[in-house]
Amino acid sequence: MFKLLLIFADPVEASETLALFPFSARSEFLYSYSTETALLDVIILKQWGHKGVLQALTPTPIGYDLWLNLGFAGAGNPCIPLLRTYTITSVRKCSDQMSLGEELLVIPVPKLPLAQLTSVTSPYREGFNPHLQLVDMEGFSIAQQAALVSCPCSMIKISSDYTTQQGRSFLQSNKARLSKKLADAFSVLYASFNHKKVDSLQATTTMGS
């Protein structure tokens, strides 16, 4: 059985993915669904950012073949179109002073455009930055926690808004649409697991780890 842990930053991001399958609610923030070949567990953070990740992932979950973080991400570059779904190649930590720190590699999923992710400590509305592609608050901490248990980690992010003061209105007006596109991307990925009989994905994640 292939065991997959899905991690979302909040219920809005997770809503359409939870509607894909008859998940059982184990708590307000933990859901589970299983078949003969796969186990899907969903964790939703109780709060954004590093503290929310540590709260949700302590003790660090073990026994999974892959962690998959799905969520919204701001676009820090005007060349990045909104409502586009990306797979992440690496995630960097960024300080309040926009000083870029450690970078962690994650495993891209097939058939999605590639992007680099930067994780900040608070919602970023300082405008465009040539050093940024996508921006979130949780990705780096999630990748860091996965590394603690040597579990392969992948990320799917949708460009939800531009990192400007005006960008917030687009996000507020399109939350349901963004969540649906995330769910669609996961649905395609999940179908590929079944088509490959899971074994080939396990080989891929082993090579990438």
Side-chain angles (χ1 to χ4, degrees), residues 80-154:
I80 296 176
L82 298 182
L83 291 167
R84 177 75 60 86
T85 310
Y86 294 87
T87 182
I88 302 302
T89 57
S90 67
V91 55
R92 297 178 298 185
K93 184 178 182 180
C94 186
S95 71
D96 290 332
Q97 293 74 38
M98 288 307 294
S99 174
L100 297 175
E102 183 182 357
E103 183 175 27
L104 297 174
L105 299 178
V106 293
I107 302 169
V109 303
K111 300 181 180 180
L112 286 176
L114 306 176
Q116 194 276 332
L117 181 68
T118 299
S119 291
V120 294
T121 56
S122 59
Y124 182 76
R125 292 289 171 196
E126 304 303 316
F128 297 122
N129 185 312
H131 301 293
L132 299 179
Q133 292 185 13
L134 296 179
V135 180
D136 81 342
M137 294 175 59
E138 298 82 22
F140 183 85
S141 297
I142 290 170
Q144 198 171 44
Q145 291 298 111
L148 291 178
V149 290
S150 301
C151 186
C153 181
S154 295

Side-chain angles (χ1 to χ4, degrees), residues 19-198:
L20 290 174
F21 308 104
F23 283 94
S24 298
R26 293 163 57 185
S27 72
E28 184 181 358
F29 299 96
L30 179 61
Y31 299 81
S32 189
Y33 169 74
S34 63
T35 68
E36 292 183 355
T37 59
L39 168 69
L40 305 182
D41 282 343
V42 175
I43 288 179
I44 302 173
L45 306 190
K46 296 180 181 179
Q47 68 180 92
W48 292 345
H50 177 69
K51 289 184 179 179
V53 172
L54 291 186
Q55 181 183 42
L57 301 180
T58 302
T60 309
I62 59 174
Y64 293 97
D65 297 291
L66 179 69
W67 287 18
L68 179 62
N69 171 220
L70 300 101
F72 302 168
N77 189 311
C79 296
I80 296 176
L82 298 182
L83 291 167
R84 177 75 60 86
T85 310
Y86 294 87
T87 182
I88 302 302
T89 57
S90 67
V91 55
R92 297 178 298 185
K93 184 178 182 180
C94 186
S95 71
D96 290 332
Q97 293 74 38
M98 288 307 294
S99 174
L100 297 175
E102 183 182 357
E103 183 175 27
L104 297 174
L105 299 178
V106 293
I107 302 169
V109 303
K111 300 181 180 180
L112 286 176
L114 306 176
Q116 194 276 332
L117 181 68
T118 299
S119 291
V120 294
T121 56
S122 59
Y124 182 76
R125 292 289 171 196
E126 304 303 316
F128 297 122
N129 185 312
H131 301 293
L132 299 179
Q133 292 185 13
L134 296 179
V135 180
D136 81 342
M137 294 175 59
E138 298 82 22
F140 183 85
S141 297
I142 290 170
Q144 198 171 44
Q145 291 298 111
L148 291 178
V149 290
S150 301
C151 186
C153 181
S154 295
M155 298 183 181
I156 296 175
K157 298 288 182 176
I158 185 166
S159 49
S160 57
D161 56 311
Y162 287 119
T163 55
T164 63
Q165 291 298 326
Q166 298 76 25
R168 189 189 312 272
S169 61
F170 184 89
L171 172 60
Q172 294 298 325
S173 301
N174 289 276
K175 287 182 177 181
R177 190 177 174 192
L178 291 161
S179 182
K180 178 65 166 60
K181 287 183 71 71
L182 269 184
D184 290 345
F186 175 70
S187 182
V188 171
L189 180 63
Y190 182 74
S192 75
F193 295 170
N194 293 331
H195 292 158
K196 295 177 182 178
K197 302 301 183 183
V198 173

